[in-house]
Structures are given as C-alpha cells and as structure tokens.
C-alpha cells in the first residue's frame, strides 16, 4: 500500500564475487526482487472496491486483507535478515520469491475473503524475506563506501519503482479484467524473480556473530497479532467483547515478555539499550507515529475511492500514483538536502506536508468523485512521505555514536514497519466505529419506513455501513444507502484528521526534541 524505504543493518562485505566487484546478475536479481515485493505489498490497495463487490467482506474483514500481508513483513523481516546471513542470501531470495508465487496463486484462486487472507499471509512471508535479503546480497558484493552508496541508491530506486508500478498494474488489470488477474500477474513476476535469483545471483553470507532470537521473535509475533486483532475487531465485535478483551490482555502480556526476552538475548531483535538515549527514543516515536500517519492516509483513501464511492480501480490508481511516485522523482533532491541540512529538518518538513494534506482531505465531501479534488491533498501527502521516509533512518542514526549505527538502523526499520502495520488497523477501527454509530443514530431518526429501517439494520448488523452502502438502491435496505454514505464520509474524514494530528505531533517532536542530534558529534548512547 505504500513505498517502504528500508535499511538493513550489518551490511558487511560478506562473500563478494571473485572478480572484486558486484556481479551484474546479483544486482539485477536483488533489484527485481525488492521491486516485486513492493508491488505485492502496494497493489491490493487499488482493489479494495472490487474485493467489497466480489467477496462481500463484512465489518473489519476488509482491513485484514491489508494487514495479513503487513504483519509477517513487520514481525519477520529482521529474522529473515539473520537467516540470510547464517545460511546464505541466495536461498532467501529464491525461497522468498517462491513463497510470493504460492501466496499470489492462493489469493487469485480465493473463493472467499478467508482464502484471500491466507494468500496474503504467505505472500507477506515471501516479502519479509525479500526486503532485507535483496539489499544485503547487493551490499555484500561491494567493497568501498562509494560503491555501496551507489548500489543502495539503485536498490532504493527499484523499491520506489515498485510503489509506482503497483497502482498502475492494479488499476489496469482490475479495470479491464478482474482483481484475480492482478494477483496472477504478480505471481508471474514472482516466478521470473525466482528464476533470475536461481540462475544469476551470487550467494553470500556473514554468519560470524549472528544468531536467532527465537524468544523475541515468538513473543513479538504473538503480541503484535493480539494487538492488531483487538484494534481491528473492536468496532465489529464490541470493545468489551470477550475475544477483544482477551486479545488486549495477551498483547500486554506478550509485549512484556518480549521486553524481558530482549534484555536477556545475546543478539536481540530490538536493542532496548538504545532507548536510554532520549534523542533516539524520540526518533523512534516519530518513526512509528509518522509512518502510521502515512499508511493510515493511504488506507483511508483506498476505502474512500473503492468501497465507499465505488470508483473503478483505474481511477483509484491515480491517487496511489500520486502517493507513491514522488519518492522516486525526488530522490536526487532529497539526497542533496540530507547532505546540506540536518535530517530532522527534512523529516519535520515532510511530516508537516503530510499533516497539511490530511487536513485538506478531511474537508472533501464524500460525494465529490472528481480526481482533481485529490491532487492537492494526496500530492502533499506523497511529497511529504518522500521527504519523511528518506530522512527518518538518517535522523535516528544521527542520535547515536557511529558504532551503534547498524543497531539504530535495524531498530528504526522494525519500528517504522510497526507504524505501517498500525495505520490500516487503527484508522479502519476509528472510521468504521464512528460511521456505525452515526448511521445507527440517523437511521433511527429518519423518515424511512419501518420495513426499510429493519432491513437496513439487519444488513448493518452483518456488515456495517459499508455493506449498506453497497446494496442495490432498489432494495429495501438500499433506500438507506445515502445515510450510510454520509456516515462513512464522516467516519473516514475523522480518519484523515487523526492521521493529520499524528503527523503534526511527529513533526513538532522531530523539530523540537531532536535538536541535540544536530551537532557534528552524536550524543552519547547512554545520554
């Protein structure tokens, strides 16, 4: 759903090619793999309207389509990075691409939303392997800082290209074929990636000092899944429903166990000692909240254009091109800015642009279907994200001594992805909860007949306002669709406002609380 710019820690020389330079086949394999992973992540956002029409997801089931992919990426990305270091990165490239083939085929063949979830989870596992491994296998073939910087820039451009290609692919296939064809095309690209990696990628590894943090992996996985379940299911099942309460308790327990495990682990997933540094702790909060704001915006936009306004995937793709293309286009400018000014100013400016775009988007009437109305707000969010995602790791790394840079980069990557995962979950929960309450109140006070009210109430009970908004207008519950449309518009406008507030809060934190990171000497890790 978004463009992730990622930094993998510990990129040592590894096992470079005998010739002393980065093999072209390895560069192509790594870049194709990360482009593929980003396409698979971002493409479903343009298809939410078709999912609603074809699979009829009820309540929060639409949100799970996005987070079924994002959760394994967030939880397992760093572990796959370690596995590549231990057992060889070529295996992870081939295996990750193969998992994407399987996941996309399962999703394409889905007869219901539950099978689509399974496909998304499998594909997410593959992407979790490809994101860190694709960068590590490329960096391992370089020997100088200049060569490494150049190849990482190429890798980042390939990732950003995936964010641009995804909405185009989803829009065209969804508009002229079906959402299933979109998944088939990605499966085909994944098969090509598997073949390229198998035939041309050079293997590398760096097992020295690397070990798996199984306790940390299990506890953070269970804790994050429980938290997402509680947040996503709360509006549908009720915030005091037994499964939701149990999920919150499990989340608290397992996140607590994760903290205990990380304190004891020899090679932890998340270096808790870094948070003793106040500036790094603030930068981490900015990473989570800022990325939550961006992907929450992207999710709200996908629901507005698809299930609410029933716009075609091709028209919906225009908004996502606006969101995702700026990272690639502005990369040279942002790189120069980061060399000349403090990253916190670039970061703060980017978050300010995201906030401005969100607040403008919140004022758009739900009946306004003109794509031109989205150019300013979504363009601002896209430009703001380009500045934010390019500077967020640099900002965090600047807060710690040089020998902690790899750890800071890895921790920021994990926290940033956690923010991405929270975006759809929290904004979906807030918007649907607000829309459901408003629809229920307005339906009860409306002049509609008792028959229409009863029919609309039954549909809303099963699938919420989204379901009422999607039924034919000629049916009894369809007579209440205008009330559902209005309620959904207000609900997702609130979602934009929440994203805007999160972005402006992160902006102020970055500008005010990170002043100590501006100096030429990083602050002490224990300061």
């Amino acid at each position: 759903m978004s463009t992730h710019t990622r930094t993998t820690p510990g990129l040592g020389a590894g096992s470079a090619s005998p010739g002393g330079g980065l093999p072209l086949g390895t560069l192509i394999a790594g870049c194709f793999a990360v482009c593929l992973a980003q396409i698979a992540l971002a493409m479903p956002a343009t298809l939410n309207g078709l999912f609603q029409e074809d699979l009829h997801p009820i309540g929060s089931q639409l949100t799970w389509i996005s987070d079924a992919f994002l959760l394994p990426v967030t939880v397992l990305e760093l572990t796959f990075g370690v596995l590549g270091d231990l057992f060889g990165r070529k295996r992870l490239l081939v295996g990750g691409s193969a998992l994407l083939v399987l996941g996309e085929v399962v999703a394409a063949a889905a007869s219901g939303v539950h099978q689509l979830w399974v496909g998304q989870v499998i594909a997410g596992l593959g992407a979790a392997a490809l994101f860190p491994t694709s960068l590590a296998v490329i960096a391992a073939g370089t020997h100088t800082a200049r060569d490494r910087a150049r190849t990482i820039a190429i890798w980042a451009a390939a990732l950003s290209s995936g964010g641009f290609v995804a909405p185009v692919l989803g829009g065209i296939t969804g508009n002229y074929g079906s959402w299933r064809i979109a998944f088939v095309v990605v499966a085909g690209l994944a098969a090509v990636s598997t073949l390229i990696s198998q035939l041309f990628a050079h293997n590398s590894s760096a097992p020295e000092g690397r070990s798996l943090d199984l306790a940390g992996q299990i506890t953070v996985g269970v804790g994050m899944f429980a938290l997402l379940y509680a947040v996503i299911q709360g509006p549908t099942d009720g915030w005091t429903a037994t499964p939701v309460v149990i999920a919150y308790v499990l989340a608290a327990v397992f996140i607590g166990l994760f903290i205990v495990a990380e304190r004891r682990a020899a090679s932890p997933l998340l270096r808790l000692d870094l948070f003793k540094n106040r500036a790094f702790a603030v930068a981490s909060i900015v990473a989570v909240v800022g990325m939550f704001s961006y992907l929450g915006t992207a999710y709200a936009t996908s629901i507005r254009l698809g299930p609410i306004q029933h716009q075609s995937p091709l028209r919906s793709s225009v908004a996502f091109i606006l969101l995702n293309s700026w990272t690639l286009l502005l990369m040279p400018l942002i790189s120069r800015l980061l060399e000349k000014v403090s990253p916190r100013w670039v970061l703060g400016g980017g978050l300010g642009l995201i906030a401005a775009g969100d607040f403008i988007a919140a004022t758009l009437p739900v009946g306004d279907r003109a794509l031109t109305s989205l150019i300013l707000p979504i363009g601002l969010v896209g430009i703001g994200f380009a500045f934010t995602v390019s500077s967020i790791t640099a900002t965090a790394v600047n807060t710690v001594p040089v020998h902690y840079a790899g750890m800071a980069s890895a921790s920021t990557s994990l926290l940033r992805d956690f923010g991405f995962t929270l975006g759809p979950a929290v904004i979906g929960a807030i918007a649907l909860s607000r829309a459901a309450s408003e629809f229920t109140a307005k339906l009860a006070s409306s002049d509609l007949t008792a028959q229409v009210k009863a029919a609309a109430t039954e549909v809303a009970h099963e699938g919420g306002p989204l379901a009422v908004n999607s039924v034919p207008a000629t049916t009894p519950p369809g007579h209440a669709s205008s009330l559902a449309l209005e309620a959904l518009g207000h609900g997702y406008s609130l979602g934009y406002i929440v994203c805007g507030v999160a972005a402006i809060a992160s902006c102020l934190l970055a500008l005010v609380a990170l002043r100590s990171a501006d100096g030429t000497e990083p602050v002490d890790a224990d300061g």
Side-chain angles (χ1 to χ4, degrees):
M1 183 174 295
S2 69
T3 301
H4 293 49
T5 297
R6 299 168 183 276
T7 305
T8 299
L11 295 174
S15 303
S17 63
L22 175 64
L24 180 60
T26 301
L27 179 63
I28 293 172
C31 289
F32 194 93
V34 75
C35 183
L36 162 71
Q38 185 61 30
I39 290 172
L41 185 153
M43 184 194 64
T46 60
L47 304 173
N48 275 325
L50 296 183
F51 295 149
Q52 182 70 40
E53 292 176 10
D54 192 18
L55 301 178
H56 308 294
I58 60 174
S60 58
Q61 290 181 342
L62 200 60
T63 305
W64 279 114
I65 295 174
S66 297
D67 271 338
F69 191 106
L70 286 167
L71 183 61
V73 171
T74 303
V75 173
L76 296 173
E77 181 182 5
L78 293 183
T79 293
F80 275 120
V82 175
L83 288 173
D85 290 345
L86 290 173
F87 303 111
R89 294 160 184 146
K90 180 173 180 176
R91 293 179 181 176
L92 268 292
L93 277 184
V94 173
S97 297
L99 278 174
L100 262 169
V101 173
L102 177 60
E104 298 296 301
V105 169
V106 170
S111 58
V113 70
H114 297 90
Q115 184 177 336
L116 182 56
W117 292 345
V118 173
Q120 284 284 85
V121 169
I122 297 171
L125 287 171
L130 293 182
F131 278 123
T133 308
S134 59
L135 179 55
V137 76
I138 289 173
T142 60
H143 297 282
T144 67
R146 182 178 181 182
D147 287 343
R148 186 164 303 177
R150 185 184 298 115
T151 55
I152 290 175
I154 295 172
W155 176 90
L159 185 148
S160 299
S161 298
F164 176 81
V165 170
V168 177
L169 174 61
I172 293 174
T173 54
N175 204 70
Y176 297 108
S178 74
W179 62 265
R180 298 179 191 277
I181 295 177
F183 284 99
V184 170
V185 171
V186 177
L189 293 174
V192 172
S193 179
T194 305
L195 190 62
I196 291 174
S197 296
Q198 180 63 44
L199 294 178
F200 302 113
H202 283 225
N203 193 28
S204 64
S205 61
E208 297 82 9
R210 303 291 274 163
S211 62
L212 290 175
D213 177 16
L214 290 178
Q217 186 63 82
I218 293 170
T219 51
V220 74
V222 175
M224 283 189 61
F225 175 77
L227 177 62
L228 286 176
Y229 179 91
V231 170
I232 293 173
Q233 293 300 126
T236 302
D237 299 344
W239 295 107
T240 58
T242 300
V244 173
V245 173
I246 291 175
Y248 273 122
V249 172
L250 285 175
V253 169
F254 275 89
I255 290 173
L257 290 174
F258 171 70
I259 293 173
V260 172
E262 297 309 275
R263 285 177 173 171
R264 297 178 177 178
S267 182
L269 283 177
L270 187 64
R271 295 297 300 246
L272 298 180
D273 54 329
L274 288 174
F275 293 93
K276 295 177 182 178
N277 176 342
R278 181 186 63 83
F280 179 81
V282 171
S284 299
I285 295 171
V286 171
V288 173
V289 179
M291 294 304 96
F292 154 81
S293 173
Y294 170 75
L295 211 65
T297 303
Y299 181 74
T301 302
S302 74
I303 300 300
R304 173 189 170 91
L305 295 175
I308 295 178
Q309 294 186 337
H310 304 300
Q311 302 223 40
S312 70
L314 194 59
R315 287 176 63 85
S316 297
S317 70
V318 174
F320 290 94
I321 292 171
L322 276 173
L323 279 173
N324 294 329
S325 61
W326 292 106
T327 305
L328 183 61
L329 295 174
L330 295 175
M331 191 176 296
L333 171 63
I334 295 171
S335 297
R336 293 192 188 97
L337 277 176
L338 289 173
E339 292 174 359
K340 296 180 181 298
V341 302
S342 168
R344 76 182 178 95
W345 288 106
V346 181
L347 175 60
L351 290 165
L353 289 173
I354 292 176
D358 276 319
F359 291 139
I360 295 172
T363 66
L364 296 178
V366 71
D368 185 354
R369 294 169 52 88
L371 292 178
T372 52
S373 301
L374 291 173
I375 291 176
L376 177 59
I378 299 305
L380 286 173
V381 173
I383 295 171
F385 175 71
F387 281 93
T388 300
V389 78
S390 300
S391 57
I392 201 163
T393 298
T395 302
V397 169
N398 275 3
T399 66
V400 300
V402 174
H403 62 278
Y404 282 103
M407 300 176 193
S409 175
S411 299
T412 304
S413 178
L414 179 66
L415 293 166
R416 185 177 62 236
D417 288 344
F418 179 54
F420 279 132
T421 307
L422 281 179
V426 173
I427 296 305
I430 291 172
L432 289 176
S433 182
R434 164 69 183 272
S437 299
E438 181 177 325
F439 174 73
T440 300
K442 289 191 173 181
L443 180 66
S445 62
S446 70
D447 296 329
L448 296 172
T449 65
Q451 179 189 10
V452 169
K453 288 182 178 181
T457 300
E458 184 178 353
V459 173
H461 180 73
E462 290 295 325
L466 279 174
V468 179
N469 184 57
S470 299
V471 298
T474 55
T475 62
H479 292 298
S481 59
S482 61
L483 296 178
L485 177 66
E486 185 180 0
L488 288 165
H490 292 158
Y492 281 92
S493 288
L494 177 61
Y496 282 125
I497 291 172
V498 170
C499 291
V501 169
I504 202 68
S506 298
C507 170
L508 294 174
L509 266 178
L511 295 178
V512 175
L514 293 178
R515 285 177 295 179
S516 59
D518 270 345
T520 55
E521 292 297 325
V523 296
D524 184 71
D526 296 324

